[in-house]
Amino acid sequence: MAADENSGDQNDLIMLKDLVDELYNFRDTYFETHSVDNAQKKQSDVAQEIEKTLKRLQEYEDRCKHKAEFLLLKGRCLNVAPDFSDIAEECLSQVVKLEPTLVEGWNILGEQYWKKGNLSGAKNCFTVALQKSKNKVSLRNLSMVLRQLPSASNESHNKQVMESVDLARQAVQLDVTDGESWYTLGNAYVSLFFCSGQNPQFSQQAFSSYAQSEKVDKAASSYPELHFNRANLFQYEEMFSSALEGYSRAALLDPNWDDPPEREKLLLEYLEKTTELIQNKGKVKARRLRTMLSNLNTSALGPCSSSEFRSPSGRVGSLEPRTLSALSHGNNVGVAALGKVVFSLASEGRMAFTFGMVDSEESCLVVMVYNTADTWGALIGDTIVIPEPHIKRHSITHKDKSFDFKSIRVDSPLLLIVNGKKQKIQSQIAVSVSSKPQCE
């Protein structure tokens, strides 16, 4: 008789586990069965499914003999919601006391701590889970938590990011078909890109990881966080069309999240303002512009006129001044762009300090300078020399708006000559872009 009871109890647990698995599947594949137009309803639809599953679980609570396994299922069910749950924390705390070897119990308890804002508690849970068994969930969760933990110095932060990348790589190696692990690796590479001198190799690895996430897992294409984080990187790389598309997609997938539409709006406003200012040369009156340009001559080249000048490309020798119209697309080795500042835009929410430059022919072009300190800027009337300028052409169409303009990208203010002088080291500070994790 006892054997029959035990068998029946196990069958109940299998059935309940299937119910909870179906709940996760409902949330994760929501847009495979619902139109994106229903995105506004996703949260309430998932909440209803949680309630239904919870009621079914409660029907078996009193008669279930395997208390730890039952509490784990209840904790898993409540963990589907994006917010912290006191009941889930209580259930899962009991699970790890009753069955300390249950890795899943430690993982979900860690996720609850994380949602609660207790990052050190979350880290401890994922670390304990990995001590019990190496698994992809603990690895990728620990990777995400490490990047969010406060650090005493840049050095310790960089060490945490390197460890985070290594953990995410291990998660991918355990299961190369897991889209969530690839997505986590993409975020880790974004962090590494910004804390390691913006090595382009790491941004490419981030893009590749995001693409692989979508390739191996259909559900990953529905992560609003993936589209948002990738859009931030696209914007930094001046791939503005892709950035706008990414913000727009993230906003569609999660209409309750304010950041994506706000970033899309800010970027559109920035592009509108920039193109308008290029067209009217910063609204500088013709007479004033002629006066500004009258003292623009090769003496402004400053150190660039020296035969010992070392260019960004590593070339040693003086640079030949060129008008903006004479510059070719891409890198212009051995030459310098020379002009006057006619407008500037502060970097708030835009990643780059932007200014307009007019040359002796009165051609106007926009310059985007990255990694600038808050105290650094270019003032109207300043003479700017850009050694070996990198020219980019932007043709952007998004929704009902179109933009077409040329720009020069400058990765650091230290590369510029302003009013005949090199810039001080204090003018540079590394830019950082935070990513939003998928913690659900």
Side-chain angles (χ1 to χ4, degrees):
M1 190 74 171
D4 288 343
E5 278 183 18
N6 193 49
S7 174
D9 203 33
Q10 284 293 347
N11 289 336
D12 287 346
L13 281 172
I14 291 167
M15 182 270 292
L16 294 174
K17 182 182 180 300
D18 288 343
L19 279 175
V20 176
D21 288 345
E22 282 171 26
L23 174 61
Y24 275 81
N25 189 57
F26 178 83
R27 182 197 69 185
D28 296 339
T29 63
Y30 186 84
F31 292 109
E32 289 176 35
T33 52
H34 297 76
S35 161
V36 177
D37 297 337
N38 293 107
Q40 192 77 46
K41 291 176 61 188
K42 181 183 175 182
Q43 213 165 313
S44 60
D45 285 352
V46 170
Q48 283 179 10
E49 291 299 314
I50 292 171
E51 282 304 311
K52 284 199 295 192
T53 308
L54 212 49
K55 280 180 183 173
R56 291 295 307 277
L57 286 169
Q58 283 163 349
E59 290 170 15
Y60 291 83
E61 188 159 9
D62 292 334
R63 69 186 202 220
C64 188
K65 302 288 188 295
H66 295 78
K67 192 176 179 184
E69 285 89 338
F70 179 83
L71 288 170
L72 176 62
L73 289 172
K74 190 174 178 181
R76 273 191 73 208
C77 175
L78 291 163
N79 194 52
V80 169
D83 300 319
F84 168 73
S85 161
D86 284 314
I87 300 169
E89 182 188 14
E90 190 182 327
C91 289
L92 295 158
S93 296
Q94 288 186 63
V95 169
V96 296
K97 280 176 190 168
L98 292 166
E99 293 284 352
T101 57
L102 268 178
V103 169
E104 196 173 15
W106 286 108
N107 278 334
I108 303 171
L109 180 59
E111 288 177 21
Q112 281 297 314
Y113 282 146
W114 190 356
K115 291 174 184 180
K116 191 181 186 180
N118 181 357
L119 294 177
S120 58
K123 180 190 174 187
N124 181 57
C125 287
F126 302 139
T127 304
V128 171
L130 282 170
Q131 288 166 354
K132 309 287 180 195
S133 170
K134 188 175 181 181
N135 67 95
K136 64 185 180 183
V137 176
S138 303
L139 286 166
R140 66 175 178 240
N141 281 349
L142 189 54
S143 169
M144 289 188 271
V145 166
L146 275 180
R147 294 198 305 277
Q148 292 181 28
L149 278 170
S151 48
S153 64
N154 282 340
E155 191 180 341
S156 60
H157 172 70
N158 293 351
K159 192 176 175 186
Q160 281 172 209
V161 171
M162 289 294 291
E163 192 180 341
S164 161
V165 172
D166 182 55
L167 290 164
R169 278 194 196 123
Q170 289 182 53
V172 164
Q173 286 163 3
L174 284 180
D175 183 359
V176 293
T177 66
D178 189 286
E180 210 167 325
S181 296
W182 279 108
Y183 163 69
T184 303
L185 182 58
N187 287 346
Y189 274 128
V190 170
S191 296
L192 184 58
F193 172 73
F194 285 109
C195 80
S196 64
Q198 293 149 33
N199 183 332
Q201 179 189 345
F202 298 138
S203 64
Q204 286 310 307
Q205 285 174 310
F207 285 134
S208 296
S209 298
Y210 288 142
Q212 194 66 15
S213 175
E214 292 180 295
K215 183 180 175 182
V216 301
D217 183 357
K218 211 172 177 182
S221 296
S222 301
Y223 295 166
E225 300 87 357
L226 185 150
H227 294 282
F228 179 77
N229 294 344
R230 183 166 54 189
N232 284 335
L233 191 54
F234 277 137
Q235 183 173 341
Y236 181 81
E237 297 282 16
E238 295 182 3
M239 300 164 76
F240 297 124
S241 291
S242 297
L244 288 165
E245 193 180 314
Y247 292 138
S248 181
R249 186 67 183 164
L252 273 175
L253 291 166
D254 188 352
N256 300 309
W257 185 15
D258 295 334
D259 287 351
E262 179 62 20
R263 289 283 179 91
E264 182 185 8
K265 176 173 160 284
L266 276 176
L267 181 50
L268 282 170
E269 286 173 355
Y270 169 70
L271 294 169
E272 282 173 1
K273 189 72 175 168
T274 299
T275 48
E276 180 196 334
L277 287 166
I278 294 168
Q279 285 162 8
N280 60 31
K281 297 170 189 172
K283 300 181 182 176
V284 175
K285 290 181 179 175
R287 182 181 292 178
R288 189 187 174 199
L289 186 60
R290 283 195 297 273
T291 304
M292 284 167 62
L293 295 174
S294 65
N295 65 356
L296 188 64
N297 54 56
T298 53
S299 65
L301 286 171
C304 295
S305 59
S306 165
S307 60
E308 295 176 3
F309 180 76
R310 183 175 289 275
S311 298
S313 65
R315 176 187 175 277
V316 176
S318 61
L319 300 180
E320 178 193 338
R322 287 271 177 90
T323 59
L324 297 176
S325 61
L327 296 172
S328 57
H329 185 83
N331 290 319
N332 290 264
V333 178
V335 303
L338 175 64
K340 290 280 188 177
V341 176
V342 289
F343 69 82
S344 66
L345 293 170
S347 58
E348 186 185 344
R350 300 186 186 95
M351 298 189 193
F353 184 92
T354 303
F355 64 86
M357 188 169 94
V358 171
D359 69 0
S360 57
E361 295 178 341
E362 296 194 16
S363 297
C364 187
L365 197 145
V366 68
V367 182
M368 299 176 189
V369 189
Y370 293 82
N371 300 299
T372 58
D374 291 339
T375 52
W376 187 90
L379 303 174
I380 292 172
D382 279 351
T383 302
I384 301 284
V385 175
I386 305 174
E388 301 192 329
H390 183 88
I391 302 288
K392 297 183 86 170
R393 172 77 179 270
H394 305 278
S395 294
I396 304 151
T397 302
H398 183 68
K399 295 180 179 175
D400 59 343
K401 299 181 187 296
S402 293
F403 310 97
D404 197 303
F405 62 96
K406 283 184 179 179
S407 74
I408 297 176
R409 181 189 179 98
V410 180
D411 285 327
S412 165
L414 300 180
L415 300 172
L416 296 173
I417 309 298
V418 182
N419 299 324
K421 296 175 182 174
K422 287 185 174 182
Q423 300 304 281
K424 293 177 179 174
I425 192 71
Q426 293 90 338
S427 63
Q428 174 180 280
I429 187 168
V431 71
S432 64
V433 176
S434 59
S435 61
K436 187 172 190 296
Q438 167 94 355
C439 177
E440 289 187 351

